[in-house]
């Protein structure tokens, strides 16, 4: 079994701070010939990127790194710091190098810290590299900060902290085809239940349409994220996008939506004519950006 270089944490978003740990891991694995693992501790069902999107992110930049997800169950949380290191890091992964953030805690009652991890590394034969939190504009780069920006509809700032555009990937599925009858045919995506969405409303967007070989074509569009109060969709969020100058049938295709600029909140319209007029205004405004 090859030795392994690993990093471990919650990694919600794989933002710029996380990428410091991932870069260190990737460099060490390449230099020493280690296997590379990003171990993600899953605490909740809310994710900035879904599991599939997270693996795509790693593949794009770190094409030889494996994503390993560990659910933070009561049984897992009951391990002592040394039991965790021995059974998970040493026995399972044969760790030789680990990169972690300065505030990393592990083991029962969060008793383990970076000092204890370093001591255990000396005992079990692996190197520990500890990194400070990344700060941008006098604030720590964190998943919480990114989610706050998303909740404000500030996708430019959220994407800046992520180090990549926030996006929503999904398979195109059939809808009510109301947009088509209004002259603005839209695509609807099947959403993962754990996907964190930004502030509900209308956004200018980039749209990537993938073919069967994984290649994509890029288009401009406007995207409504929310519950569509004018068509009484209930309280289940949807993502619906009108793509400019596009009429292909892409049901069943993978599409990635990148919300770029927040245009306006969702609102209820008293008639389809009012809705059509507003879509026209939204489209013209988004096209001018």
């Amino acid at each position: 079994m090859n030795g392994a270089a690993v990093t471990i944490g919650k990694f919600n978003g794989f933002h710029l701070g996380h990428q410091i740990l991932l870069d260190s891991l990737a460099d060490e694995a390449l230099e020493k010939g280690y296997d590379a693992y990003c171990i993600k501790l899953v605490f909740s069902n809310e994710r900035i990127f879904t599991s599939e999107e997270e693996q795509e992110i790693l593949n794009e930049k770190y094409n030889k790194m494996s994503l390993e997800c560990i659910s933070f169950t009561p049984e897992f949380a009951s391990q002592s710091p040394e039991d965790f290191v021995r059974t998970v890091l040493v026995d399972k992964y044969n760790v030789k190098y680990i990169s972690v953030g300065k505030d990393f805690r592990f083991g029962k009652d969060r008793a383990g810290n970076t000092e204890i991890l370093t001591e255990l590394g000396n005992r079990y034969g692996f190197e520990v590299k500890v990194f400070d939190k990344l700060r941008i504009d006098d604030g720590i780069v964190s998943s919480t900060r990114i989610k706050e920006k998303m909740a404000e509809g500030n996708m430019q700032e959220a994407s800046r902290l992520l180090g990549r555009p926030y996006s929503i990937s999904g398979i195109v599925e059939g809808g009510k085809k109301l947009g088509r009858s209004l002259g603005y045919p839209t695509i609807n995506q099947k959403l993962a239940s754990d996907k964190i969405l930004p502030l509900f409303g209308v956004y200018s967007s980039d749209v990537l349409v993938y073919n069967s070989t994984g290649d994509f074509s890029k288009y401009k569009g406007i995207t409504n994220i929310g519950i569509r109060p004018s068509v009484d969709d209930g309280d289940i969020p949807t993502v619906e996008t009108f793509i400019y100058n596009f009429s292909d049938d892409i049901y069943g295709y993978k599409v990635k939506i990148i919300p770029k600029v927040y245009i306006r909140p969702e609102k209820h319209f008293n008639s389809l004519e009012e809705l059509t007029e507003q879509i026209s205004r939204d489209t013209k405004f988004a096209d001018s950006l």
Side-chain angles (χ1 to χ4, degrees):
M1 181 179 180
N2 288 339
V6 309
T7 185
I8 184 167
K10 290 183 283 188
F11 296 115
N12 192 358
F14 288 116
H15 57 59
L16 288 173
H18 296 149
Q19 290 171 45
I20 293 174
L21 304 181
L22 294 167
D23 288 345
S24 171
L25 159 62
D27 290 345
E28 189 72 13
L30 181 63
E31 180 181 343
K32 302 288 179 60
Y34 295 149
D35 295 328
Y37 295 96
C38 173
I39 302 174
K40 177 182 173 72
L41 301 178
V42 181
F43 288 81
S44 73
N45 291 326
E46 290 191 337
R47 300 179 183 224
I48 294 173
F49 294 110
T50 65
S51 297
E52 181 181 343
E53 290 168 339
E54 288 172 345
Q55 187 61 68
E56 286 182 359
I57 289 168
L58 288 184
N59 290 345
E60 287 172 4
K61 189 174 181 182
Y62 313 100
N63 62 354
K64 293 185 178 180
M65 187 180 298
S66 298
L67 176 63
E68 304 275 311
C69 293
I70 298 178
S71 296
F72 200 76
T73 61
E75 292 78 15
F76 179 81
S78 68
Q79 297 177 97
S80 70
E82 184 166 359
D83 283 345
F84 166 76
V85 166
R86 186 181 65 254
T87 61
V88 177
L89 297 182
V90 176
D91 291 348
K92 184 175 181 179
Y93 292 101
N94 191 25
V95 63
K96 297 300 180 185
Y97 175 89
I98 182 169
S99 59
V100 294
K102 192 173 184 179
D103 62 346
F104 178 64
R105 296 291 184 272
F106 63 102
K108 185 177 180 180
D109 299 324
R110 294 168 53 86
N113 55 25
T114 55
E115 289 79 13
I116 292 174
L117 183 63
T118 300
E119 291 174 6
L120 292 169
N122 292 333
R123 187 182 310 170
Y124 286 99
F126 60 86
E127 179 185 356
V128 178
K129 187 67 176 294
V130 180
F131 292 87
D132 289 330
K133 290 283 191 179
L134 176 65
R135 302 183 69 88
I136 292 179
D137 299 337
D138 297 324
I140 291 172
V141 176
S142 68
S143 302
T144 298
R145 183 176 171 190
I146 291 166
K147 288 187 285 187
E148 288 172 353
K149 296 302 178 184
M150 290 172 57
E152 298 169 359
N154 189 345
M155 303 315 296
Q156 301 97 314
E157 184 65 10
S159 294
R160 183 171 78 103
L161 298 173
L162 282 168
R164 69 178 59 80
Y166 168 85
S167 59
I168 304 167
S169 296
I171 302 300
V172 177
E173 59 181 8
K176 295 183 177 181
K177 296 184 172 59
L178 177 62
R180 187 175 301 277
S181 68
L182 300 178
Y184 294 96
T186 59
I187 59 169
N188 299 271
Q189 290 171 276
K190 184 175 183 179
L191 291 176
S193 60
D194 58 356
K195 178 74 172 180
I196 298 175
L197 296 173
L199 177 66
F200 286 177
V202 177
Y203 294 80
S204 67
S205 59
D206 285 340
V207 184
L208 309 185
V209 179
Y210 290 79
N211 62 25
S212 58
T213 65
D215 296 323
F216 64 84
S217 298
K218 183 176 178 179
Y219 304 90
K220 292 183 66 175
I222 58 169
T223 298
N224 187 89
I225 300 173
I227 57 174
R228 303 191 300 179
S230 294
V231 294
D232 193 27
D233 264 357
D235 58 0
I236 299 175
T238 62
V239 175
E240 186 177 28
T241 301
F242 168 65
I243 308 174
Y244 304 160
N245 304 315
F246 186 86
S247 59
D248 293 358
D249 181 354
I250 55 173
Y251 289 126
Y253 282 58
K254 176 184 172 180
V255 169
K256 181 181 291 186
I257 304 298
I258 302 173
K260 299 186 70 177
V261 179
Y262 181 76
I263 297 175
R264 64 169 175 84
E266 284 197 300
K267 60 183 293 188
H268 176 79
F269 295 96
N270 294 319
S271 68
L272 294 180
E273 288 76 15
E274 285 186 14
L275 174 59
T276 303
E277 291 172 1
Q278 183 63 61
I279 294 174
S280 177
R281 289 193 292 269
D282 293 340
T283 303
K284 290 177 182 177
F285 179 76
D287 200 29
S288 71
L289 295 174

